[in-house]
Amino acid sequence: MLGHERSITQIKYNREGDLLFSVAKDTVANAWYSVNGERLGTYNGHTGAVWCVDCDWDTKNVLTGSADNSCRLWDCETGKQLALLNTNSAVRTCGFDFSGNIIMFSTDKQMGYQCFLNFFDLRDPQQIGDNQPYLTVPCSDHKITSAVWGPLGEFVIAGHENGEINQFSAKSGEILKKAKEHTKQINDIQTSVDLTMFISASKDNTAKLFDSTSLDHIKTFKTERPVNSAAISPIMDHVREVLPCCL
């Protein structure tokens, strides 16, 4: 049985690597056993394309963001929807910090609304019930196209449509550091397993390795085509790139 009826938008492993989560333009999020590809279950509720997915470190909860203007929290095991956070535009990126208590998600610049980076504390039921994040950061110049948490949950590393990379403080929302090594949109950012490094994939035909804390540029990987995604192997000194026509 096919897991999705339309093209996949993101895949994400849990920290142990035994489960794989996939989302697509068909409104469904799926969980799979990575060892044999068997589908474990689905998370049903979105009414638009699902752009992003993440799983917390202990594989308890799953987070998804969608073009239906919502970010949703799910029980990983049962598939039950635990929280619905409505937004004014599509949710492009989402993620749990290392503790699993804080979530972040970014919204698209569309329909007259600017891009926002939102932070919620899942330990505060009032924030979830009132749909009021403890921190909202406007990104008026260039929208966020990819984002991940940095070490210790102190900041979020965000890639933008103009190729810029920013560190946003999870406490104040201020920009802590900036890097401008890419010349075109950043399509994907993924961290190393220990969060000390990350790799960015860009439309400028490169993937670049950075130090997560300093944003120092470590290495560039050049290709002949735009890079849709790139990942750092957790067990080998390897980098994997995904180009438009290959997996």
Side-chain angles (χ1 to χ4, degrees), residues 70-83:
S70 75
C71 184
R72 300 175 191 239
L73 181 71
W74 313 85
D75 183 286
C76 180
E77 183 176 0
T78 66
K80 179 183 177 182
Q81 181 177 297
L82 302 176

Side-chain angles (χ1 to χ4, degrees), residues 9-239:
T9 52
Q10 191 174 42
I11 59 174
K12 190 74 66 74
Y13 281 101
N14 67 341
R15 189 159 178 82
E16 289 75 20
D18 59 331
L19 296 181
L20 180 69
F21 301 89
S22 64
V23 291
K25 293 181 179 180
D26 60 5
T27 76
V28 176
N30 285 322
W32 311 82
Y33 288 114
S34 59
V35 65
N36 59 8
E38 179 185 351
R39 183 161 60 175
L40 177 62
T42 62
Y43 304 93
N44 295 303
H46 282 296
T47 58
V50 187
W51 294 120
C52 54
V53 63
D54 196 25
C55 177
D56 61 11
W57 279 36
D58 57 5
T59 318
K60 180 182 177 183
N61 295 323
V62 174
L63 191 67
T64 56
S66 171
D68 67 5
N69 297 0
S70 75
C71 184
R72 300 175 191 239
L73 181 71
W74 313 85
D75 183 286
C76 180
E77 183 176 0
T78 66
K80 179 183 177 182
Q81 181 177 297
L82 302 176
L84 168 62
L85 301 170
N86 290 305
T87 60
N88 291 318
S89 59
V91 176
R92 181 65 53 173
T93 68
C94 65
F96 292 95
D97 78 335
F98 79 102
S99 71
N101 294 323
I102 309 295
I103 62 169
M104 65 84 184
F105 61 86
S106 69
T107 57
D108 275 355
K109 183 179 180 180
Q110 62 182 189
M111 298 185 297
Y113 295 98
Q114 66 185 81
C115 169
F116 288 98
L117 180 61
N118 299 290
F119 295 85
F120 283 83
D121 190 331
L122 297 178
R123 295 167 295 186
D124 184 352
Q126 188 169 354
Q127 286 184 31
I128 306 303
D130 294 345
N131 200 26
Q132 288 294 325
Y134 75 82
L135 179 63
T136 297
V137 184
C139 305
S140 55
D141 293 333
H142 301 283
K143 78 171 184 179
I144 294 173
T145 51
S146 185
V148 294
W149 281 93
L152 303 178
E154 294 177 348
F155 53 82
V156 166
I157 302 164
H160 297 257
E161 60 184 346
N162 67 336
E164 191 171 76
I165 296 174
N166 290 325
Q167 278 183 3
F168 290 96
S169 168
K171 292 183 178 179
S172 66
E174 67 178 312
I175 296 177
L176 303 176
K177 289 186 176 68
K178 291 184 177 183
K180 187 65 169 67
E181 297 289 340
H182 287 290
T183 58
K184 294 182 180 179
Q185 176 175 304
I186 294 172
N187 291 325
D188 188 31
I189 292 178
Q190 296 196 36
T191 60
S192 60
V193 68
D194 61 1
L195 304 183
T196 60
M197 296 184 294
F198 69 90
I199 191 163
S200 55
S202 173
K203 285 186 175 180
D204 67 7
N205 297 9
T206 68
K208 294 178 183 285
L209 193 66
F210 293 86
D211 180 277
S212 296
T213 302
S214 66
L215 292 192
D216 287 342
H217 175 222
I218 300 171
K219 189 172 183 177
T220 295
F221 303 89
K222 295 182 179 179
T223 70
E224 296 179 354
R225 287 174 290 176
V227 186
N228 285 350
S229 184
I232 304 169
S233 170
I235 56 175
M236 302 287 286
D237 293 329
H238 292 168
V239 166

